[in-house]
Amino acid sequence: SGKPILAYIPDGVTRSLLTGYGASRCVGITDVKAGAVAIEEYFEQWKKGKLPTGNVEFVQKFERSNLTKQLAGILSRLTEENRTIADK
């Protein structure tokens, strides 16, 4: 959607994904002060009309059509591997 994200989240894969999005602030799950600062900064950016937007190319990787294409490729490869094994 291109909107900024504030995430109270521990280190890990999800945090890495959000960082790749480019319009996110990740704070520790108990860091209330950092969350409040992020909200204030987002509010100030919103007032100026300068909220960050997400990385379009990053978001496109997760669109249904692209995920479906990836899944189709995986299924196709598995089918070919099974045919090869069956032909032996």
Side-chain angles (χ1 to χ4, degrees), residues 16-32:
S16 295
L17 282 172
L18 287 171
T19 301
Y21 172 60
S24 63
R25 295 282 178 89
C26 297
V27 299
I29 58 175
T30 60
D31 196 345
V32 176

Side-chain angles (χ1 to χ4, degrees), residues 1-8 18 21-26 38 42 52:
S1 71
K3 295 180 179 165
I5 297 171
L6 170 58
Y8 282 85
L18 287 171
Y21 172 60
S24 63
R25 295 282 178 89
C26 297
Y42 276 155

Side-chain angles (χ1 to χ4, degrees), residues 27-65:
V27 299
I29 58 175
T30 60
D31 196 345
V32 176
K33 185 172 183 167
V37 168
I39 291 170
E40 288 174 356
E41 289 174 357
Y42 276 155
F43 182 66
E44 290 301 318
Q45 291 170 340
W46 173 78
K47 287 194 313 189
K48 295 175 184 174
K50 296 187 177 187
L51 275 174
T53 57
N55 179 325
V56 174
E57 292 174 4
F58 180 82
V59 172
Q60 286 175 343
K61 291 191 290 188
F62 300 98
E63 287 182 349
R64 187 177 331 150
S65 61

